[in-house]
Amino acid sequence: HIQDPASQRLTWNKPPKSVLVIKKIRDASLLQPFKELCVYLTEENNMIVYVEKKVLEDPAIANDENFGPVKKKFCTFREDYDDISNQIDFIICLGGDGTLLYASSLFQGSVPPVMAFHLGSLGFLTPFNFENFQSQVTQVIEGNAALVLRSRLKVKVVKEHREKSTVQNGIEENGVVSANLEKEVGKQIMQYQVLNEVVVDRGPSSYLSNVDVFLDGHLITTVQGDGVIVSTPTGSTAYAAAAGASMIHPNVPAIMITPICPHSLSFRPIVVPAGVELKIMLSPDARNTAWVSFDGRKRQEICHGDSISITTSCYPLPSICCREPVSDWFESLAQCLHWNVRKKQNNFALEEEE
C-alpha cells in the first residue's frame, strides 16, 4: 500500500522532559512570547528548558528581575562548543523559517521533533500561531500531533589541502627551484547536514561557473551559468522556486537539481530519486574557482581537485504539523507565496426573461 502522508504521527515512548527553545536573535518583538513560553514550560509543565547562551545575554532578558527565577532554571549551551544532541526531547522555534534552519544545523545526527511558531517575516515552515500556544504545546507534550519528515542532504566536501611556501624569484627558502607555489599535503574532509539546499555559484568572478555534475559516478551535465542548486523538497519553495523550479511537497522522496541563470535555453530543472549520489567538481578547463554554501552558511571556495558529494541523509527533520501535512503545505503556498492568487473571472449574467 502507498503510505498516506497524513498517517505519520508523533508518539512518545515516555513523556518528554527536556525542550530546546530557539529564539530569533536581535528581535525585540519576540522577548515577551519567549518569556511567556519559558514560564509555561518550567512552571506549568515542569520541563527542563535548554536555551542558547547568547539569547540570555540580551540586555532585555538579563536585566529583567521578574524573569530571574525562571532564568536560573535554564540549561545553557554554545553553538559549535557544546553537544546537546542526546539531551533534547523536542524543540520549539520562535521566529521565521531561519530558526528552523538553525535548529537543523545544531543536530548533525538524529533531530528531535520541531514545533515552529510563526513569529518571523515569511513563515513557510512555521505553521503554528502563538496566540493559543498553551493548548498547542500541551497537545505536543501529550503526543497528539501529525508529523512531516523533512528529508535532509548529507554533504561531504573533500578539499585538496594546499600549503603555500615562501618563494622569492622562483626559489624556495631551502634553495630548491619551485615550479608550483602550492604543495599538496593531504586532503581535508568536511561533512554537513542540509535542510534546504546546497548552492554552488561563481562567487566574485566575472566568468561563468563551469562545474561538472555526476550522478552515481556518471557525468550527466556541465553547468555553465551562475551556478547550480541541489535542494530537498523542503528547499524547493526557497531558492529553487526563485530560480524557476517546481515546488515539491516535503513527503516526496526526491532531490532537485536547478541551474542558476544557465547560459542555455534547454537547461530545465530536474528531479532525481532520493538516495542517489551526486558529485560536483570544477570542470578541468574551468577559468575560475567556485563557491559553495549550505543553507546559506559555511560559505567556502572550491578549487580544482576538490569535490562535493551529496545524497539523502538518513536523519530527516521531524516537523510537527499544525493540522496535517497536506493542508499545512497548501496553506503555506497560499498565505506566504500567494500561489495562484487571482481575481475570479465573472460569470455570464443571466438574461432577463421578457
PDB file of all heavy atoms in Angstrom, residues 135-162:
ATOM      1  N   SER A 135      -2.368  25.502  24.665  1.00  0.00           N
ATOM      2  CA  SER A 135      -3.068  24.278  24.277  1.00  0.00           C
ATOM      3  C   SER A 135      -2.296  23.506  23.216  1.00  0.00           C
ATOM      4  O   SER A 135      -2.280  22.262  23.216  1.00  0.00           O
ATOM      5  CB  SER A 135      -4.470  24.619  23.760  1.00  0.00           C
ATOM      6  OG  SER A 135      -4.393  25.456  22.616  1.00  0.00           O
ATOM      7  N   GLN A 136      -1.622  24.232  22.314  1.00  0.00           N
ATOM      8  CA  GLN A 136      -0.870  23.556  21.253  1.00  0.00           C
ATOM      9  C   GLN A 136       0.354  22.836  21.816  1.00  0.00           C
ATOM     10  O   GLN A 136       0.653  21.705  21.422  1.00  0.00           O
ATOM     11  CB  GLN A 136      -0.463  24.577  20.190  1.00  0.00           C
ATOM     12  CG  GLN A 136      -1.653  25.141  19.427  1.00  0.00           C
ATOM     13  CD  GLN A 136      -1.255  26.255  18.478  1.00  0.00           C
ATOM     14  OE1 GLN A 136      -0.337  27.020  18.740  1.00  0.00           O
ATOM     15  NE2 GLN A 136      -1.951  26.359  17.365  1.00  0.00           N
ATOM     16  N   VAL A 137       1.074  23.479  22.741  1.00  0.00           N
ATOM     17  CA  VAL A 137       2.235  22.832  23.371  1.00  0.00           C
ATOM     18  C   VAL A 137       1.788  21.629  24.189  1.00  0.00           C
ATOM     19  O   VAL A 137       2.438  20.576  24.186  1.00  0.00           O
ATOM     20  CB  VAL A 137       3.008  23.847  24.242  1.00  0.00           C
ATOM     21  CG1 VAL A 137       4.072  23.132  25.073  1.00  0.00           C
ATOM     22  CG2 VAL A 137       3.656  24.916  23.373  1.00  0.00           C
ATOM     23  N   THR A 138       0.661  21.759  24.870  1.00  0.00           N
ATOM     24  CA  THR A 138       0.138  20.634  25.655  1.00  0.00           C
ATOM     25  C   THR A 138      -0.178  19.435  24.769  1.00  0.00           C
ATOM     26  O   THR A 138       0.115  18.287  25.126  1.00  0.00           O
ATOM     27  CB  THR A 138      -1.125  21.071  26.421  1.00  0.00           C
ATOM     28  OG1 THR A 138      -0.785  22.140  27.308  1.00  0.00           O
ATOM     29  CG2 THR A 138      -1.692  19.911  27.222  1.00  0.00           C
ATOM     30  N   GLN A 139      -0.752  19.690  23.595  1.00  0.00           N
ATOM     31  CA  GLN A 139      -1.050  18.586  22.664  1.00  0.00           C
ATOM     32  C   GLN A 139       0.223  17.875  22.233  1.00  0.00           C
ATOM     33  O   GLN A 139       0.252  16.637  22.131  1.00  0.00           O
ATOM     34  CB  GLN A 139      -1.783  19.128  21.442  1.00  0.00           C
ATOM     35  CG  GLN A 139      -3.258  19.396  21.667  1.00  0.00           C
ATOM     36  CD  GLN A 139      -3.984  19.724  20.375  1.00  0.00           C
ATOM     37  OE1 GLN A 139      -3.356  20.108  19.387  1.00  0.00           O
ATOM     38  NE2 GLN A 139      -5.289  19.559  20.371  1.00  0.00           N
ATOM     39  N   VAL A 140       1.289  18.646  21.985  1.00  0.00           N
ATOM     40  CA  VAL A 140       2.556  18.040  21.572  1.00  0.00           C
ATOM     41  C   VAL A 140       3.146  17.213  22.709  1.00  0.00           C
ATOM     42  O   VAL A 140       3.625  16.085  22.507  1.00  0.00           O
ATOM     43  CB  VAL A 140       3.550  19.128  21.121  1.00  0.00           C
ATOM     44  CG1 VAL A 140       4.942  18.540  20.916  1.00  0.00           C
ATOM     45  CG2 VAL A 140       3.061  19.783  19.830  1.00  0.00           C
ATOM     46  N   ILE A 141       3.108  17.750  23.929  1.00  0.00           N
ATOM     47  CA  ILE A 141       3.642  17.013  25.078  1.00  0.00           C
ATOM     48  C   ILE A 141       2.871  15.714  25.292  1.00  0.00           C
ATOM     49  O   ILE A 141       3.444  14.683  25.660  1.00  0.00           O
ATOM     50  CB  ILE A 141       3.597  17.902  26.340  1.00  0.00           C
ATOM     51  CG1 ILE A 141       4.589  19.071  26.186  1.00  0.00           C
ATOM     52  CG2 ILE A 141       3.919  17.093  27.591  1.00  0.00           C
ATOM     53  CD1 ILE A 141       4.527  20.078  27.314  1.00  0.00           C
ATOM     54  N   GLU A 142       1.577  15.739  25.012  1.00  0.00           N
ATOM     55  CA  GLU A 142       0.752  14.539  25.157  1.00  0.00           C
ATOM     56  C   GLU A 142       0.882  13.589  23.966  1.00  0.00           C
ATOM     57  O   GLU A 142       0.338  12.479  24.000  1.00  0.00           O
ATOM     58  CB  GLU A 142      -0.712  14.945  25.333  1.00  0.00           C
ATOM     59  CG  GLU A 142      -0.980  15.668  26.650  1.00  0.00           C
ATOM     60  CD  GLU A 142      -2.410  16.177  26.750  1.00  0.00           C
ATOM     61  OE1 GLU A 142      -3.132  16.095  25.714  1.00  0.00           O
ATOM     62  OE2 GLU A 142      -2.803  16.645  27.826  1.00  0.00           O
ATOM     63  N   GLY A 143       1.594  14.021  22.906  1.00  0.00           N
ATOM     64  CA  GLY A 143       1.798  13.156  21.752  1.00  0.00           C
ATOM     65  C   GLY A 143       0.648  13.121  20.789  1.00  0.00           C
ATOM     66  O   GLY A 143       0.443  12.116  20.101  1.00  0.00           O
ATOM     67  N   ASN A 144      -0.091  14.210  20.727  1.00  0.00           N
ATOM     68  CA  ASN A 144      -1.256  14.255  19.843  1.00  0.00           C
ATOM     69  C   ASN A 144      -0.990  15.245  18.712  1.00  0.00           C
ATOM     70  O   ASN A 144      -1.436  16.394  18.751  1.00  0.00           O
ATOM     71  CB  ASN A 144      -2.503  14.661  20.646  1.00  0.00           C
ATOM     72  CG  ASN A 144      -3.752  14.693  19.782  1.00  0.00           C
ATOM     73  OD1 ASN A 144      -3.819  14.024  18.758  1.00  0.00           O
ATOM     74  ND2 ASN A 144      -4.734  15.469  20.196  1.00  0.00           N
ATOM     75  N   ALA A 145      -0.235  14.819  17.698  1.00  0.00           N
ATOM     76  CA  ALA A 145       0.100  15.720  16.593  1.00  0.00           C
ATOM     77  C   ALA A 145       0.547  14.924  15.382  1.00  0.00           C
ATOM     78  O   ALA A 145       1.077  13.812  15.508  1.00  0.00           O
ATOM     79  CB  ALA A 145       1.197  16.697  17.008  1.00  0.00           C
ATOM     80  N   ALA A 146       0.340  15.521  14.199  1.00  0.00           N
ATOM     81  CA  ALA A 146       0.834  14.929  12.951  1.00  0.00           C
ATOM     82  C   ALA A 146       2.267  15.382  12.706  1.00  0.00           C
ATOM     83  O   ALA A 146       2.697  16.426  13.201  1.00  0.00           O
ATOM     84  CB  ALA A 146      -0.062  15.334  11.791  1.00  0.00           C
ATOM     85  N   LEU A 147       2.997  14.590  11.931  1.00  0.00           N
ATOM     86  CA  LEU A 147       4.408  14.877  11.629  1.00  0.00           C
ATOM     87  C   LEU A 147       4.646  14.854  10.121  1.00  0.00           C
ATOM     88  O   LEU A 147       3.993  14.095   9.394  1.00  0.00           O
ATOM     89  CB  LEU A 147       5.321  13.824  12.251  1.00  0.00           C
ATOM     90  CG  LEU A 147       5.792  13.958  13.690  1.00  0.00           C
ATOM     91  CD1 LEU A 147       6.699  12.788  14.015  1.00  0.00           C
ATOM     92  CD2 LEU A 147       6.520  15.265  13.917  1.00  0.00           C
ATOM     93  N   VAL A 148       5.572  15.677   9.681  1.00  0.00           N
ATOM     94  CA  VAL A 148       6.115  15.522   8.337  1.00  0.00           C
ATOM     95  C   VAL A 148       7.630  15.374   8.485  1.00  0.00           C
ATOM     96  O   VAL A 148       8.281  16.161   9.168  1.00  0.00           O
ATOM     97  CB  VAL A 148       5.743  16.715   7.417  1.00  0.00           C
ATOM     98  CG1 VAL A 148       6.199  18.044   8.006  1.00  0.00           C
ATOM     99  CG2 VAL A 148       6.340  16.528   6.033  1.00  0.00           C
ATOM    100  N   LEU A 149       8.164  14.306   7.901  1.00  0.00           N
ATOM    101  CA  LEU A 149       9.607  14.049   7.980  1.00  0.00           C
ATOM    102  C   LEU A 149      10.280  14.765   6.818  1.00  0.00           C
ATOM    103  O   LEU A 149      10.222  14.309   5.668  1.00  0.00           O
ATOM    104  CB  LEU A 149       9.888  12.543   7.934  1.00  0.00           C
ATOM    105  CG  LEU A 149       9.340  11.728   9.097  1.00  0.00           C
ATOM    106  CD1 LEU A 149       9.666  10.255   8.916  1.00  0.00           C
ATOM    107  CD2 LEU A 149       9.905  12.229  10.433  1.00  0.00           C
ATOM    108  N   ARG A 150      10.898  15.888   7.116  1.00  0.00           N
ATOM    109  CA  ARG A 150      11.569  16.683   6.082  1.00  0.00           C
ATOM    110  C   ARG A 150      12.962  16.108   5.834  1.00  0.00           C
ATOM    111  O   ARG A 150      13.828  16.150   6.716  1.00  0.00           O
ATOM    112  CB  ARG A 150      11.670  18.148   6.514  1.00  0.00           C
ATOM    113  CG  ARG A 150      10.312  18.809   6.716  1.00  0.00           C
ATOM    114  CD  ARG A 150      10.453  20.289   7.027  1.00  0.00           C
ATOM    115  NE  ARG A 150       9.141  20.915   7.199  1.00  0.00           N
ATOM    116  CZ  ARG A 150       8.400  21.381   6.200  1.00  0.00           C
ATOM    117  NH1 ARG A 150       8.861  21.303   4.958  1.00  0.00           N
ATOM    118  NH2 ARG A 150       7.228  21.939   6.426  1.00  0.00           N
ATOM    119  N   SER A 151      13.161  15.554   4.644  1.00  0.00           N
ATOM    120  CA  SER A 151      14.450  14.936   4.331  1.00  0.00           C
ATOM    121  C   SER A 151      15.553  15.995   4.286  1.00  0.00           C
ATOM    122  O   SER A 151      15.307  17.148   3.934  1.00  0.00           O
ATOM    123  CB  SER A 151      14.382  14.186   3.001  1.00  0.00           C
ATOM    124  OG  SER A 151      14.156  15.089   1.935  1.00  0.00           O
ATOM    125  N   ARG A 152      16.741  15.578   4.674  1.00  0.00           N
ATOM    126  CA  ARG A 152      17.913  16.457   4.611  1.00  0.00           C
ATOM    127  C   ARG A 152      18.941  15.859   3.652  1.00  0.00           C
ATOM    128  O   ARG A 152      18.844  14.702   3.255  1.00  0.00           O
ATOM    129  CB  ARG A 152      18.533  16.636   6.001  1.00  0.00           C
ATOM    130  CG  ARG A 152      17.582  17.294   6.988  1.00  0.00           C
ATOM    131  CD  ARG A 152      18.330  17.827   8.205  1.00  0.00           C
ATOM    132  NE  ARG A 152      18.902  16.765   9.021  1.00  0.00           N
ATOM    133  CZ  ARG A 152      19.670  16.984  10.091  1.00  0.00           C
ATOM    134  NH1 ARG A 152      19.968  18.215  10.454  1.00  0.00           N
ATOM    135  NH2 ARG A 152      20.151  15.978  10.789  1.00  0.00           N
ATOM    136  N   LEU A 153      19.913  16.658   3.284  1.00  0.00           N
ATOM    137  CA  LEU A 153      21.001  16.201   2.430  1.00  0.00           C
ATOM    138  C   LEU A 153      22.250  15.981   3.270  1.00  0.00           C
ATOM    139  O   LEU A 153      22.598  16.818   4.117  1.00  0.00           O
ATOM    140  CB  LEU A 153      21.305  17.237   1.336  1.00  0.00           C
ATOM    141  CG  LEU A 153      20.178  17.544   0.354  1.00  0.00           C
ATOM    142  CD1 LEU A 153      20.603  18.678  -0.589  1.00  0.00           C
ATOM    143  CD2 LEU A 153      19.788  16.308  -0.441  1.00  0.00           C
ATOM    144  N   LYS A 154      22.903  14.841   3.036  1.00  0.00           N
ATOM    145  CA  LYS A 154      24.213  14.596   3.648  1.00  0.00           C
ATOM    146  C   LYS A 154      25.277  15.034   2.646  1.00  0.00           C
ATOM    147  O   LYS A 154      25.327  14.522   1.526  1.00  0.00           O
ATOM    148  CB  LYS A 154      24.378  13.121   3.998  1.00  0.00           C
ATOM    149  CG  LYS A 154      25.710  12.810   4.675  1.00  0.00           C
ATOM    150  CD  LYS A 154      25.798  11.362   5.099  1.00  0.00           C
ATOM    151  CE  LYS A 154      25.989  10.445   3.907  1.00  0.00           C
ATOM    152  NZ  LYS A 154      26.260   9.052   4.304  1.00  0.00           N
ATOM    153  N   VAL A 155      26.076  15.984   3.037  1.00  0.00           N
ATOM    154  CA  VAL A 155      27.041  16.585   2.120  1.00  0.00           C
ATOM    155  C   VAL A 155      28.457  16.341   2.642  1.00  0.00           C
ATOM    156  O   VAL A 155      28.735  16.561   3.831  1.00  0.00           O
ATOM    157  CB  VAL A 155      26.805  18.109   1.973  1.00  0.00           C
ATOM    158  CG1 VAL A 155      27.703  18.691   0.893  1.00  0.00           C
ATOM    159  CG2 VAL A 155      25.343  18.392   1.657  1.00  0.00           C
ATOM    160  N   LYS A 156      29.321  15.882   1.753  1.00  0.00           N
ATOM    161  CA  LYS A 156      30.738  15.698   2.098  1.00  0.00           C
ATOM    162  C   LYS A 156      31.585  16.525   1.147  1.00  0.00           C
ATOM    163  O   LYS A 156      31.485  16.372  -0.074  1.00  0.00           O
ATOM    164  CB  LYS A 156      31.135  14.215   2.013  1.00  0.00           C
ATOM    165  CG  LYS A 156      32.584  13.965   2.426  1.00  0.00           C
ATOM    166  CD  LYS A 156      32.903  12.489   2.521  1.00  0.00           C
ATOM    167  CE  LYS A 156      32.999  11.841   1.154  1.00  0.00           C
ATOM    168  NZ  LYS A 156      33.509  10.455   1.215  1.00  0.00           N
ATOM    169  N   VAL A 157      32.380  17.409   1.699  1.00  0.00           N
ATOM    170  CA  VAL A 157      33.285  18.247   0.900  1.00  0.00           C
ATOM    171  C   VAL A 157      34.701  17.736   1.103  1.00  0.00           C
ATOM    172  O   VAL A 157      35.186  17.660   2.242  1.00  0.00           O
ATOM    173  CB  VAL A 157      33.182  19.730   1.314  1.00  0.00           C
ATOM    174  CG1 VAL A 157      34.130  20.588   0.483  1.00  0.00           C
ATOM    175  CG2 VAL A 157      31.751  20.227   1.164  1.00  0.00           C
ATOM    176  N   VAL A 158      35.348  17.359   0.016  1.00  0.00           N
ATOM    177  CA  VAL A 158      36.732  16.884   0.068  1.00  0.00           C
ATOM    178  C   VAL A 158      37.607  17.917  -0.631  1.00  0.00           C
ATOM    179  O   VAL A 158      37.416  18.213  -1.812  1.00  0.00           O
ATOM    180  CB  VAL A 158      36.889  15.514  -0.618  1.00  0.00           C
ATOM    181  CG1 VAL A 158      38.344  15.061  -0.565  1.00  0.00           C
ATOM    182  CG2 VAL A 158      35.978  14.480   0.040  1.00  0.00           C
ATOM    183  N   LYS A 159      38.548  18.480   0.119  1.00  0.00           N
ATOM    184  CA  LYS A 159      39.437  19.508  -0.422  1.00  0.00           C
ATOM    185  C   LYS A 159      40.870  19.007  -0.431  1.00  0.00           C
ATOM    186  O   LYS A 159      41.322  18.362   0.520  1.00  0.00           O
ATOM    187  CB  LYS A 159      39.354  20.794   0.408  1.00  0.00           C
ATOM    188  CG  LYS A 159      38.057  21.562   0.241  1.00  0.00           C
ATOM    189  CD  LYS A 159      38.165  22.909   0.948  1.00  0.00           C
ATOM    190  CE  LYS A 159      36.951  23.766   0.644  1.00  0.00           C
ATOM    191  NZ  LYS A 159      37.073  25.102   1.267  1.00  0.00           N
ATOM    192  N   GLU A 160      41.540  19.304  -1.531  1.00  0.00           N
ATOM    193  CA  GLU A 160      42.973  19.052  -1.581  1.00  0.00           C
ATOM    194  C   GLU A 160      43.654  20.079  -0.686  1.00  0.00           C
ATOM    195  O   GLU A 160      43.556  21.288  -0.923  1.00  0.00           O
ATOM    196  CB  GLU A 160      43.493  19.186  -3.015  1.00  0.00           C
ATOM    197  CG  GLU A 160      42.845  18.230  -4.003  1.00  0.00           C
ATOM    198  CD  GLU A 160      43.320  16.802  -3.826  1.00  0.00           C
ATOM    199  OE1 GLU A 160      44.287  16.598  -3.059  1.00  0.00           O
ATOM    200  OE2 GLU A 160      42.739  15.903  -4.438  1.00  0.00           O
ATOM    201  N   HIS A 161      44.298  19.606   0.380  1.00  0.00           N
ATOM    202  CA  HIS A 161      44.922  20.532   1.326  1.00  0.00           C
ATOM    203  C   HIS A 161      46.214  21.075   0.726  1.00  0.00           C
ATOM    204  O   HIS A 161      47.116  20.327   0.381  1.00  0.00           O
ATOM    205  CB  HIS A 161      45.210  19.836   2.653  1.00  0.00           C
ATOM    206  CG  HIS A 161      45.608  20.767   3.746  1.00  0.00           C
ATOM    207  ND1 HIS A 161      44.723  21.685   4.291  1.00  0.00           N
ATOM    208  CD2 HIS A 161      46.777  20.946   4.394  1.00  0.00           C
ATOM    209  CE1 HIS A 161      45.346  22.373   5.234  1.00  0.00           C
ATOM    210  NE2 HIS A 161      46.581  21.938   5.318  1.00  0.00           N
ATOM    211  N   ARG A 162      46.253  22.373   0.593  1.00  0.00           N
ATOM    212  CA  ARG A 162      47.411  23.015  -0.046  1.00  0.00           C
ATOM    213  C   ARG A 162      48.138  23.894   0.952  1.00  0.00           C
ATOM    214  O   ARG A 162      47.521  24.619   1.719  1.00  0.00           O
ATOM    215  CB  ARG A 162      46.964  23.842  -1.255  1.00  0.00           C
ATOM    216  CG  ARG A 162      46.277  23.001  -2.324  1.00  0.00           C
ATOM    217  CD  ARG A 162      45.605  23.870  -3.357  1.00  0.00           C
ATOM    218  NE  ARG A 162      44.981  23.062  -4.389  1.00  0.00           N
ATOM    219  CZ  ARG A 162      43.754  22.557  -4.311  1.00  0.00           C
ATOM    220  NH1 ARG A 162      43.017  22.785  -3.243  1.00  0.00           N
ATOM    221  NH2 ARG A 162      43.267  21.823  -5.280  1.00  0.00           N
TER     222      ARG A 162
END
